[in-house]
């Protein structure tokens, strides 16, 4: 976040954003923790709380960004020097950086490890190096028991597991692509002038709109997601969510058309 605030070129923005995404593993940790704390009877209800974290960030984050951007203009008595004029978006980047650091400290001190005997990185590397020897020994033992086990009963779970993992990864990748694309496209269209296809909003107005959107998103999902998941099932819920992105994308040029009317 600090690198993003200090960036002065488009390449710097892209690199800092990519670096932030590389180290942003909180979604996987949250979902893994929820899976360990829940079972099949309450999984949908507990997963419904995940969007609450996104809604909280989607509500507070845009307000913070819109309110604290260009501090030299909004708060000249405190941030009136040339430093904040040179980096007008550094202050709204400092706030989430501090919050992320505090969250990391809290999780590091309070979240208990669920693995009873965690392995170190060195032991995992040593295990990977000895995997070839294990495969050779397994091949020799398989030759000795090949006549005792029918071919129809040979394990095929590895291929089935890899196939399911690839399907899950592809579906999640498609959903993440659409989600990030919409989240990125939305403020760009809001800030683009009306003559160029946008809405021509100022940063403070964009922050307010995104904040309201984040609050409604989390509120609706918290109330309706579990019920929709139970009624439609996971597959139909996923397909319905993907199809709902079509009217959202179509709404962007419609909003520009309405805004351009006299």
């Amino acid at each position: 976040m600090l690198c993003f605030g200090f960036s002065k070129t488009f390449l710097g923005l892209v690199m800092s954003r990519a670096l932030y995404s590389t180290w942003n593993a909180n979604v996987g940790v949250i979902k893994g923790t929820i899976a360990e704390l829940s079972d099949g009877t309450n999984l949908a209800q507990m997963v419904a709380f995940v969007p609450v974290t996104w809604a909280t960030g989607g509500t507070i984050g845009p307000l913070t960004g819109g309110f604290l951007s260009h501090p030299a203009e909004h708060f000249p008595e405190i941030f009136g020097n040339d430093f904040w004029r040179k980096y007008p978006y550094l202050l709204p980047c400092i706030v989430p950086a501090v919050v992320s650091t505090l969250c990391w400290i809290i999780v590091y001190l309070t979240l208990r490890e669920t693995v009873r005997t965690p392995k170190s990185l060195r032991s995992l590397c040593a295990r990977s190096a000895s995997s070839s020897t294990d495969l050779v020994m397994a091949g020799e033992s398989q030759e000795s028991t090949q006549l005792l086990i029918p071919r129809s009963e040979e394990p095929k779970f590895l291929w089935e597991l890899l196939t399911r993992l690839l399907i899950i990864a592809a579906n999640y990748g498609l959903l993440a692509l659409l989600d990030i694309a919409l989240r990125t496209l939305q403020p760009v269209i809001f800030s683009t002038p009306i003559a160029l296809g946008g809405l021509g909003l100022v940063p403070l107005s964009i922050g307010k709109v995104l904040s309201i959107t984040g609050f409604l998103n989390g509120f609706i999902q918290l109330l309706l997601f579990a019920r929709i998941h139970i009624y439609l099932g996971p597959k139909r819920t996923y397909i319905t969510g993907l199809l709902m992105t079509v009217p959202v994308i179509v709404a962007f040029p419609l909003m520009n058309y309405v805004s351009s009317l006299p």
Side-chain angles (χ1 to χ4, degrees), residues 49-239:
F49 284 96
V50 177
V52 175
T53 59
W54 287 92
T56 304
T59 303
I60 301 177
L63 284 178
T64 303
F67 184 72
L68 298 181
S69 62
H70 298 276
E73 300 177 3
H74 297 160
F75 312 101
E77 63 279 0
I78 302 176
F79 305 99
N81 51 49
D82 295 336
F83 177 81
W84 298 106
R85 297 182 186 276
K86 184 178 180 181
Y87 302 102
Y89 298 102
L90 177 60
L91 185 60
C93 292
I94 293 178
V95 174
V98 173
V99 173
S100 298
T101 303
L102 293 177
C103 292
W104 180 88
I105 295 174
I106 294 174
V107 171
Y108 181 79
L109 296 177
T110 60
L111 184 61
R112 293 184 297 176
E113 179 61 64
T114 57
V115 180
R116 296 182 178 179
T117 57
K119 296 181 174 60
S120 62
L121 182 61
R122 180 179 300 178
S123 63
L124 293 176
C125 295
R127 183 179 179 182
S128 177
S130 60
S131 60
S132 58
T133 304
D134 297 338
L135 289 176
V136 173
M137 295 177 62
E140 294 176 353
S141 61
Q142 184 178 0
E143 291 179 358
S144 60
T145 58
Q146 188 173 6
L147 298 178
L148 301 178
I149 302 176
R151 183 175 296 274
S152 59
E153 298 181 4
E154 292 181 356
K156 299 180 181 180
F157 65 92
L158 182 59
W159 172 251
E160 296 179 357
L161 178 61
L162 290 177
T163 303
R164 292 183 179 181
L165 289 178
L166 290 176
I167 294 176
I168 294 174
N171 290 332
Y172 188 80
L174 178 60
L175 180 62
L177 176 62
L178 292 175
D179 178 64
I180 298 300
L182 290 176
R183 291 178 181 272
T184 306
L185 187 63
Q186 195 173 15
V188 173
I189 292 180
F190 287 168
S191 60
T192 303
I194 297 178
L196 298 179
L199 299 180
L201 300 178
V202 297
L204 184 58
S205 299
I206 295 175
K208 293 179 180 179
V209 173
L210 294 180
S211 177
I212 296 174
T213 304
F215 174 77
L216 294 177
N217 183 22
F219 183 76
I220 293 174
Q221 290 198 42
L222 182 62
L223 293 180
L224 300 180
F225 175 78
R227 299 179 182 179
I228 295 175
H229 184 273
I230 295 174
Y231 181 75
L232 296 179
K235 182 178 180 180
R236 293 182 178 179
T237 302
Y238 173 79
I239 296 176

